[in-house]
Amino acid sequence: MAERKLLILFGSQTGTAEDTAERIGREAKRRHFQCRVEALDSYEVANLINELLVVFVCSTTGQGDPPDNMKMFWRFLFRRNLPPNSLCQLDYAVLGLGDSSYPKFNFVAKKLHKRVLQLGGNPLLPVALGDDQHDLGPDAVVDPWLLALWDKILALYPLPPGLEVISPDIRLPPKYTLHYLAEDCPSPADGLLQPTAPRAVPSELHPFCARLVSNRRVTAQSHFQDVRLIEFDVTGSGITFSAGDVVMIQPQNCPEDVQQFCQLLRLDPDRRFVLKPMEPGIALPALLPQPCTIRLLVTHYLDISCVPRRSFFELLSYFSTNELEREKLQEFSSAQGQEELYSYCNRPRRTTLEVFWDFPHTTCAIPPEYLLDLIPRIRPRAFSIASSMLAYPDRIQILMAVVRYKTQLSKPRRGLCSTWLASINPEQGDVRVPLWVKKGGMKFPADPDTPVIMIGPGTGVAPFRAAIQERVAQGRRGNCLFFGCRQKSVDFYCQEEWEELVTKGFLTLFTAFSRDQEEKVYVQHRIRENRRLVWELLSSRSAHVYLAG
């Protein structure tokens, strides 16, 4: 009988595709498959020719681009020299997650499906196109597609004699077991795992812990929006970047939330533990030291401030000892309960920690070894770099709006990363922030005579500050900036810097202060007023135009 092995490969930017891949993995375990769930770029792509059964789950980002964790796989798959029958023994299915309000809806999934077919793969089903815009979200497509998929797969790989599909009433084992250590074991360091020398260029798996050296508010104290210009020291990191690149920052939970979480789950934050995978071949979570404390796990790894997904409620329902709570959790994890879940969780942006408050009986019954199945890891946040290495060697600056807004919940919603960074006072001690740099989507012209027209309202001006600093350091003059904000007196970022460059002849600046007069004025009005100049730059000098929001 054929080996019942299933490989699930995902490409995920925000975690939705990863969550769906894990769900398919759980369904595979209930059908007694040997199953691996991996990010596409963690998988050794040359082994694909030996696989018999693969499900791909992928999202589309930006203008039809693959997510970061499948870019290498994507490049390999589209190599011209791959033989057309190289995947002829592969049965496969592709599940796409996208948003139909974008022109390139599910572009990556469609293209992947087509490419695997070209290479000889045998599709089990047509590509599934999950849509965020649907009233029930992507699950409206995913749920029926998965039922059809299991019918196809079980026809090829029937259940072994004497085995039944494990009932949904039975809780599956966790991914890892958690073993508490004796009190006298040595304590781990108090941060995420640091790579040992020799150092690679910093990356997600090997971030550089940069010192935060300055944190300055650049909006008036009276202004509702708190915007900061933050500077990091990256001396000795090996980091290099150019204008348009992005810095990725790994945030952490605040001590008050960590304390509340430990109290609700009745966990001792100082207890030390080691993790062991339940099955061979499952990697331990990257960056978590072994041994680790509960406090470190909750502070640096578990995303307790994210809005939980449907799968969270499904797993949580298994731990419930309280009938009322269990019924509500089961409703939230059912297909019929998705509108109610949206109203409870997504619309008010209720966090995982707040859900735990609402289900106290269930929460205190959660076995600690299930925490890594229940709560996703904290994802890094991306910021446009707002400085040039030519102007500020060994430094990275960002222009960051502190995220804070109201929903129907009494407590304001706060951005995890921006709130944490804004709270750091470099004068009160040495604070380190894990970061690394990624190539951005903007490339500025190599030809020194090509003018650039930059349209950057609000914090969208950040990458243009980097570009202007870089171009000025190289003696380039054709820099034209359209900047917009509410009022000249409260949120005109980097005003002195721009005005000095205008005086020196390096910058042509057009400003739109929308609230400084009766009629609202935006950057598009300034572009229209200066249409002759803009057209002259485009038509006779081949200017490049850049827009950032």
Side-chain angles (χ1 to χ4, degrees):
M1 185 171 155
E3 235 190 329
R4 302 180 78 254
K5 264 185 171 172
L6 170 62
L7 176 64
I8 301 160
L9 296 172
F10 65 85
S12 184
Q13 196 71 20
T14 60
T16 310
E18 182 173 355
D19 183 70
T20 305
E22 293 287 359
R23 170 188 170 183
I24 301 170
R26 289 190 295 276
E27 293 189 10
K29 287 201 173 103
R30 293 192 181 279
R31 289 159 179 80
H32 304 279
F33 279 88
Q34 258 185 289
C35 176
R36 273 168 44 225
V37 180
E38 271 191 64
L40 278 152
D41 276 356
S42 311
Y43 174 71
E44 189 53 68
V45 63
N47 292 341
L48 202 58
I49 55 167
N50 305 316
E51 302 291 351
L52 302 178
L53 184 59
V54 177
V55 176
F56 297 95
V57 185
C58 53
S59 60
T60 298
T61 66
Q63 304 299 313
D65 301 314
D68 288 340
N69 64 1
M70 69 176 282
K71 282 191 158 59
M72 294 186 314
F73 171 86
W74 198 242
R75 278 198 293 273
F76 180 89
L77 198 68
F78 285 91
R79 279 175 27 181
R80 294 239 170 89
N81 60 355
L82 296 181
N85 59 350
S86 45
L87 298 180
C88 60
Q89 60 172 353
L90 176 68
D91 290 315
Y92 76 98
V94 177
L95 166 53
L97 298 171
D99 183 324
S100 58
S101 67
Y102 284 83
K104 295 208 165 177
F105 171 56
N106 265 315
F107 183 74
V108 171
K110 292 172 188 169
K111 204 167 164 184
L112 174 63
H113 184 82
K114 202 168 152 189
R115 180 60 175 152
V116 177
L117 187 63
Q118 277 177 352
L119 294 172
N122 170 46
L124 296 170
L125 288 173
V127 58
L129 307 174
D131 185 7
D132 249 353
Q133 291 297 319
H134 193 284
D135 289 344
L136 297 175
D139 289 342
V141 167
V142 175
D143 291 358
W145 186 82
L146 278 178
L147 290 172
L149 179 71
W150 290 122
D151 285 348
K152 293 273 187 190
I153 289 177
L154 286 174
L156 290 171
Y157 298 91
L159 283 164
L163 284 180
E164 297 283 312
V165 175
I166 299 169
S167 152
D169 303 332
I170 294 169
R171 179 170 93 199
L172 291 171
K175 212 185 264 187
Y176 307 102
T177 55
L178 186 147
H179 303 274
Y180 282 122
L181 301 176
E183 296 296 317
D184 52 5
C185 279
S187 216
D190 63 351
L192 293 178
L193 213 53
Q194 286 309 302
T196 48
R199 287 207 64 116
V201 173
S203 63
E204 184 161 6
L205 291 179
H206 302 284
F208 177 74
C209 287
R211 197 161 55 90
L212 190 151
V213 287
S214 115
N215 180 354
R216 181 164 67 86
R217 181 171 173 143
V218 291
T219 43
Q221 288 299 333
S222 58
H223 191 48
F224 73 96
Q225 177 79 77
D226 180 356
V227 176
R228 305 295 179 99
L229 184 66
I230 294 177
E231 183 173 337
F232 303 99
D233 181 352
V234 293
T235 307
S237 64
I239 286 176
T240 58
F241 59 89
S242 44
D245 287 349
V246 169
V247 62
M248 305 297 295
I249 292 178
Q250 184 65 46
Q252 60 183 58
N253 290 309
C254 70
E256 301 76 48
D257 284 359
V258 173
Q259 190 182 349
Q260 273 186 24
F261 178 90
C262 291
Q263 282 169 350
L264 282 168
L265 278 85
R266 300 181 183 171
L267 295 167
D268 172 1
D270 298 314
R271 273 308 287 277
R272 285 184 293 275
F273 65 88
V274 289
L275 290 176
K276 297 209 169 118
M278 281 293 267
E279 291 175 15
I282 291 186
L284 288 169
L287 295 179
L288 264 195
Q290 292 266 46
C292 183
T293 62
I294 294 288
R295 188 192 312 278
L296 194 150
L297 173 72
V298 183
T299 303
H300 294 282
Y301 199 83
L302 299 180
D303 197 353
I304 58 176
S305 73
C306 72
V307 176
R309 302 173 190 272
R310 173 178 167 183
S311 57
F312 167 90
F313 293 93
E314 185 187 335
L315 182 52
L316 197 57
S317 68
Y318 287 107
F319 309 128
S320 199
T321 49
N322 174 291
E323 199 175 333
L324 271 176
E325 287 187 10
R326 184 169 61 247
E327 280 174 9
K328 195 72 198 165
L329 291 165
Q330 284 170 340
E331 183 189 343
F332 282 155
S333 57
S334 69
Q336 301 72 39
Q338 289 314 288
E339 275 182 53
E340 189 150 347
L341 176 60
Y342 189 85
S343 301
Y344 169 69
C345 240
N346 301 67
R347 192 169 291 120
R349 310 303 294 162
R350 196 181 302 270
T351 69
T352 298
L353 185 58
E354 288 168 327
V355 172
F356 285 148
W357 278 107
D358 288 349
F359 293 88
H361 299 91
T362 308
T363 297
C364 65
I366 297 169
E369 56 266 25
Y370 276 96
L371 285 175
L372 286 113
D373 294 78
L374 192 59
I375 305 170
R377 66 184 170 83
I378 299 174
R379 295 194 167 262
R381 305 317 200 242
F383 294 91
S384 290
I385 296 175
S387 59
S388 164
M389 295 188 90
L390 301 179
Y392 295 91
D394 293 324
R395 294 283 192 266
I396 288 179
Q397 295 180 353
I398 60 171
L399 191 63
M400 175 194 81
V402 182
V403 178
R404 186 176 189 271
Y405 58 96
K406 285 287 293 175
T407 64
Q408 69 208 44
L409 301 175
S410 59
K411 205 175 159 192
R413 309 291 87 193
R414 293 174 182 276
L416 175 66
C417 190
S418 61
T419 305
W420 172 55
L421 290 176
S423 74
I424 298 172
N425 180 351
E427 286 159 23
Q428 291 179 351
D430 191 1
V431 180
R432 302 274 168 167
V433 174
L435 54 78
W436 62 98
V437 164
K438 237 177 61 177
K439 275 274 151 249
M442 282 187 187
K443 294 226 181 331
F444 291 88
D447 178 356
D449 297 326
T450 304
V452 291
I453 300 169
M454 295 163 278
I455 306 154
T459 54
V461 81
F464 303 139
R465 183 172 179 260
I468 291 166
Q469 285 179 1
E470 193 166 283
R471 289 172 62 82
V472 168
Q474 294 160 339
R476 301 182 180 189
R477 284 187 182 265
N479 306 307
C480 177
L481 174 65
F482 289 88
F483 174 75
C485 63
R486 284 175 170 243
Q487 292 168 298
K488 183 174 183 175
S489 60
V490 297
D491 57 345
F492 186 4
Y493 312 134
C494 314
Q495 180 181 352
E496 296 86 3
E497 197 173 322
W498 303 138
E499 288 171 350
E500 188 188 334
L501 291 173
V502 170
T503 309
K504 289 180 174 171
F506 278 108
L507 181 65
T508 307
L509 176 67
F510 299 101
T511 51
F513 305 115
S514 61
R515 307 298 196 278
D516 273 351
Q517 59 285 306
E518 276 290 290
E519 296 284 299
K520 291 197 176 121
V521 176
Y522 297 111
V523 285
Q524 58 267 36
H525 298 116
R526 295 291 183 239
I527 293 168
R528 185 175 293 139
E529 286 164 18
N530 294 281
R531 56 187 177 271
R532 284 206 172 82
L533 168 71
V534 171
W535 175 242
E536 201 267 322
L537 288 171
L538 289 171
S539 62
S540 53
R541 296 186 56 199
S542 306
H544 291 200
V545 181
Y546 299 86
L547 174 68

